[in-house]
Each structure stands twice: as C-alpha cells, then as structure tokens.
Amino acid sequence: MENVLRPVIVVGGSVVLTLLIEWFVDRLLRRAADRHTETSLWGLLRRGRVPFQLVLFAALLRGSYDQAELLVEHRTGIGRTLTLILIGAAAWLVVSIATAVVETSYSRYANAHRDPARVRRVRTQVTLIQRVVTAVVGVVAIAAMLLTFPAMRAAGASLLASAGILGIVAGVAAQSTLANLFAGLQIAFGDMVRLGDTVVVDGEWGTVEEITLTFLTVRTWDERRITMPVSYFTSKPFENWSRGTPQMTGIVFLHVDHSAPVEAMREKLRDILRECPAWDGRDYGLAVTDSTPNTMQVRALVTAKDADDIWTVRVTVREQLIRWLTERHPYALPRVNTAEAVLPPGRTRLPGQADPDGADGVAAHAHHRHHLHEPPRTGPGRG
C-alpha cells in the first residue's frame, strides 16, 4: 500500500501545490492590474502562467522524486528529463517577463509622446532588444541543457581548452553574420531606419515591415516583400522618406501645346487641390519649366503630410488636369504640326530648293488661274 500511496502523494502533492501557488500569484497580479490601470504590466505578466506552472511543477517534482520511489531503475533518465523541462520552462518564463516589461515600456512611451518618428524609433529599439534578450536566454538555456549530460561536460572542457583557435575560426566563418548583427544594433540605436518608415531601396518604394538582427523586410506598394541584410543599410545609400518630418512635396509634369492657357491651368490646379482631402494646404504652384519644338513642359507642385498622401495628390492632379484640358481646351493637348512652314517675308529659297512662292510658282499659279477663269480666245476683240 505504501508503494502506491507514496508516488501518488509526491506527484499529486506537486500538482496541487503548483496549482495553489499559481492561483495565489495570479490573484495578486489581478489585484495589481485592477489598482494600476494606467499600466498594462500586470496584465501582461499574467500571460506567463503556463511557463510559471511548468517551472513550479518541474522544480517540486525534481526535488521530491527520490521520495516517490517510482521507476527506480529509470531514476537517472527521469531526473535528467525533469531538469531539462525545468531549464526550458525557466527560459520561457524569463522571455515572457522580459517581453511584458519591454511592451509596457513601449506603450508608456507611445502614450506620452505624439511624435510618430520618435515612437517608431523606440519601437524599433525595443523590438531588437527583445530579440537580443530572447536569443541570449535561448543560448544560455541550450548550453545549460547540454551541460547536464556528462559527455557534454567533457566536450565543454575540451572546447574551453581550445577557445582561442575556435574563436578565430568562428570569427572568420561568421564574419557576415557578425557584420549583420552589429549592423542591426547600429540601425536600432543610430536611428537610421525604423519600423514603419517609407524607404526606397534599389529603386523599390515600400514600408519597413520587420527589422531583425540579421535582415530587414520592406513591404512594397504592390504587397511584395523584399528581404535584405541589415548590413545593406549601413554600407549603401538609400532614401528614407520618413526621417525627420513625414511631410513631402510632389511634382506632376505635363506636356502641352504652346497655346495652352497656363493661367487657367494654374487656377484649375487650385480648384482641384481644394477638393482633394489628401492635400495638406501648405503649398502649390504651376510653372512652365521647359519647351520643345512641339510642346512645352508644365510642372505642377503639390504638398501632402506623408508619402501615401502625396501619391494620391499627384495622381488626382494629373488625372483631373488632363480631363479638364480634353474637355475645355482640346487645342492645348500635344499635337504634331503637319502644315507647310511659312517662310518669313523677304527670305529667298536656297539653290535647288522648290519654292511655291517663287517665280516658277507664281507663273504656274497665274497660268492655272488663266485657264480656270478667263474665257476662250474667240469672238470680237480676241486676236
């Protein structure tokens, strides 16, 4: 009977004690969350209930398993398994606590500051800090698990003895990885690029969607994802449209005929912008910036609060100006002149050049009029 009750008491007692402690801690966290509604820390800490239960259960059962006298022949394997579970659960719990602290800090900063650029900067930094903490805790946990095996302890001693050679080899082999790692930290704390920034890289326009310690993902306007190593942003130039203030100035070019009503186009641009919600009202303008033998180039200048709105304003202005010219001033659209050029007064034709207004042309024209309009040479008075 004792052989049956002893394992039940040990295992059951560990389960009951784990549930009681977890219930008591959860009650404390719930009361703290109700008292301090200005912060979400206590509510986020409650998400770590599962790893907390695993840590308690594994610790209690590992400490009292020898008293259970259950599966004595497998005592070593079961004890090592419980140790591995305890290490893994403890790492999980540490990561959960760190995540809750980081998210709470970011939420407080975001609520206290209304500058989107600064908020994105802090968001990028805390995200990378969270990834670094997770990576470090994971490496330490894996190392601790491996050291529970006797064979791994001997291997660890051998590795420590040759740490100098291994360090050189690892440094050469992981040169690219280490470069990306330090580039990721430089991006996080150097404020070069942040989550949510609008950038142009390799001719592609998009928004920074994810930043890790080794790569960066840009979501383009057509919903493609471009994944690039973070070292690219520390070694090559790129455009960051969100750095500083997100306000932007856009340009719309139109090619029209030389007879286009520029002043009327300027007034129409003003009317279009007044009805466009994306225009921020800061500035606008229209001017002739270039001309060719067939057309002249008109530049419309508009402003908006960010990159998305400037795109909307540009396409709206281009579409409505072209439609207005087509309906109201069709003569102002570009056209190819196929009429014969009119020579200026007093200009003579070059040798060998046909000149319809020259002597031969005049004689031929007079001869043609003579046959068309003069009567036949018959009758009285005609010789």
Side-chain angles (χ1 to χ4, degrees), residues 302-320:
V302 294
T303 59
K305 63 181 179 64
D306 54 30
D308 292 335
D309 283 353
I310 199 64
W311 172 263
T312 304
V313 176
R314 289 176 61 195
V315 296
T316 302
V317 168
R318 185 182 296 110
E319 177 183 347
Q320 296 193 19

Side-chain angles (χ1 to χ4, degrees), residues 17-37:
L17 191 59
T18 298
L19 294 177
L20 288 176
I21 295 176
E22 191 276 330
W23 176 81
F24 179 73
V25 173
D26 186 67
R27 291 269 303 190
L28 292 179
L29 292 177
R30 187 179 301 176
R31 288 184 178 180
D34 294 338
R35 291 178 181 178
H36 304 280
T37 57

